[in-house]
Every structure is written in structure tokens, then in C-alpha cells.
Amino acid sequence: MNNLDDQIEPVIALDDDSVMQYLLQNPDFFIRNARSVEQMHVPHPVKGSISLVEWQLGRQRHQIAQLEEEITLLMEQASINESLFGRMIELQATLAAASSLQDMLNRLQRWARSLGLAGANVRLFSEGWRIGAPSDFTHLAVSRGAFESMRIQRLGETPHYLGGLNGPELLLLLPQAKAVGSVALSLMGEHGELGVLIFSSRDPQHYQPGMGTVLLDQLAKMLPGLLERWIERV
């Protein structure tokens, strides 16, 4: 005859993983025990306790609300992207119709101001364009070497910078501008070797890190080809 210890079945310790594995292996558990499930209650931070069914319905309502919020955000982003695309097409047609380089720069300036900005400027790296004397556009030139410290500090490895500039930086890029609160800088050229596109705002909070740069990216890619109509590349 076996001793008493041999006759006692070992007690199985239940934990979260054990219960979860059992439920995964027995997907019909809640169907077989529907009546018991209806009587189950789980803790609730506000109501004290609620039925398992009510808890599940609450989770589903929360998930639906999250999905609705995500769909709303996607629709808003799609609307913004559509608006940006329309503005891009409008600007491209406007710039392409320019009769001279100065006319093109004026059109870019007017377009920026129609968006409520202080202005739009282009500075070209003198190492990449033939804009030295006797060119009429020497004022567009800036040395890439002089810009390098700003590129390292403000842009790093990215082609865009959104935020404020200090006095010496503004003097380098926008010597004639007044009351510049914030800017959006975009390097032009495949490797940022051709120059800088600058949009400026009087509002210090208008351009901030983390904002979208889709439109800036497209403009920075488009402008060099238009500029080549009047300025020769080195």
C-alpha cells in the first residue's frame, strides 16, 4: 500500500501564464461556461467592480474611440497634404512663368507673404554658382565655408532647420531683414551643396523643431532647376 503522500495528487500552481495558456488552448471555454462568465466580476478603478461582460464592452468602446481618433487624425493630415500639394503646384506654375531671375525671386516673395510669412529668400553658395562680379546677383552669394558652422550647429545631418537664429546668423543669411522671429532653412542640392532656401516669420513660435518639412523638401528640390535658367552652375 502506498503511503499517504503518494495518494495525494500534487497541487498545480496557477499563475497568469498558466491561465492564459489554458484559455488559448481551449477557445470554447467561455462558450461552455457562459452562465458562470456572466456572474464574474473584475475590479474597476471607479465603480469598484463590474461584470466581465461589461468590462469587455468597455474595452471595445475604448478601442473604437481610439480608432475613430486615429481616423480623424489621418483625415486631417490628408487634408493638410492636399492643401500643401495645391500650394506647391500653384507656386511651381508661378515661378516657371517668371521672365527673369529677379521676377522669380519676387514671385517667391509674394507667395510667401500670401501665407502670412515675413518673406522668402534664397542664398547661393558661391562655390557652386557663377554669381561673382559683374553679375547682378552677387548679393545672393554666401560662402559655404562661412555657413558651415551654422550648418553643424543648426542642421546637423538633416537638410532642414526650423526655429530661431541669433544675430550673427541673421546677419549672414538675412542682412536686410527686420524683426525675424523664426525661420525655416532648407539646403538645396542633392548633398546640400547649392545653397539655402529661407522662409522667415515675425512670430518666434511659427517655426519650431518637429514640424513637417514635406513642402520645404519639395521646394528645395525644385528651385535649383529653375535658377539654372539664369545662373550657370560651376
Side-chain angles (χ1 to χ4, degrees):
M1 182 176 179
N2 295 333
N3 58 37
L4 184 59
D5 291 338
D6 293 335
Q7 297 180 38
I8 299 176
E9 294 184 1
V11 177
I12 299 176
L14 291 179
D15 55 22
D16 290 355
D17 289 336
S18 301
V19 174
M20 184 61 66
Q21 288 299 321
Y22 177 82
L23 293 176
L24 291 174
Q25 295 169 8
N26 297 270
D28 60 342
F29 172 83
F30 291 104
I31 297 176
R32 292 187 284 104
N33 299 275
R35 186 178 299 277
S36 298
V37 169
E38 292 176 358
Q39 298 174 356
M40 290 182 181
H41 286 72
V42 295
H44 190 275
V46 177
K47 299 180 180 180
S49 66
I50 57 175
S51 69
L52 187 60
V53 174
E54 186 179 357
W55 177 76
Q56 180 63 21
L57 288 174
R59 279 177 54 84
Q60 292 175 346
R61 283 193 293 268
H62 179 67
Q63 291 172 348
I64 290 172
Q66 284 186 315
L67 288 174
E68 289 177 343
E69 184 177 347
E70 291 175 3
I71 291 172
T72 299
L73 290 175
L74 287 174
M75 292 177 65
E76 290 175 353
Q77 188 61 49
S79 177
I80 292 173
N81 289 339
E82 182 180 1
S83 176
L84 290 177
F85 180 75
R87 290 176 180 175
M88 183 68 186
I89 295 298
E90 172 194 348
L91 177 61
Q92 187 172 14
T94 297
L95 297 182
S99 59
S100 66
L101 177 56
Q102 188 58 57
D103 184 28
M104 190 188 82
L105 296 176
N106 291 341
R107 288 169 182 251
L108 178 62
Q109 186 80 272
R110 287 195 297 269
W111 181 81
R113 289 178 177 172
S114 73
L115 301 179
L117 299 174
N121 297 82
V122 173
R123 301 304 303 273
L124 304 177
F125 293 143
S126 53
E127 295 85 349
W129 302 86
R130 300 190 187 281
I131 50 177
S135 168
D136 294 332
F137 298 97
T138 56
H139 62 283
L140 298 179
V142 62
S143 167
R144 191 174 182 182
F147 178 77
E148 185 63 12
S149 61
M150 187 190 305
R151 184 197 66 78
I152 294 173
Q153 181 178 355
R154 299 296 190 181
L155 289 87
E157 299 301 320
T158 67
H160 308 290
Y161 168 73
L162 297 98
L165 295 179
N166 59 35
E169 292 169 338
L170 287 172
L171 187 61
L172 176 66
L173 294 182
L174 300 171
Q176 306 302 322
K178 298 179 180 179
V180 175
S182 59
V183 301
L185 305 180
S186 294
L187 294 177
M188 296 187 294
E190 185 177 352
H191 304 291
E193 76 281 7
L194 297 180
V196 190
L197 171 63
I198 311 157
F199 289 99
S200 58
S201 171
R202 294 181 179 85
D203 181 1
Q205 303 302 318
H206 186 86
Y207 289 115
Q208 300 181 45
M211 296 175 65
T213 58
V214 175
L215 184 60
L216 291 172
D217 192 57
Q218 294 301 314
L219 288 175
K221 291 177 180 177
M222 178 184 70
L223 277 176
L226 295 173
L227 290 167
E228 288 181 16
R229 297 168 61 188
W230 295 286
I231 308 177
E232 183 181 358
R233 291 268 300 274
V234 173

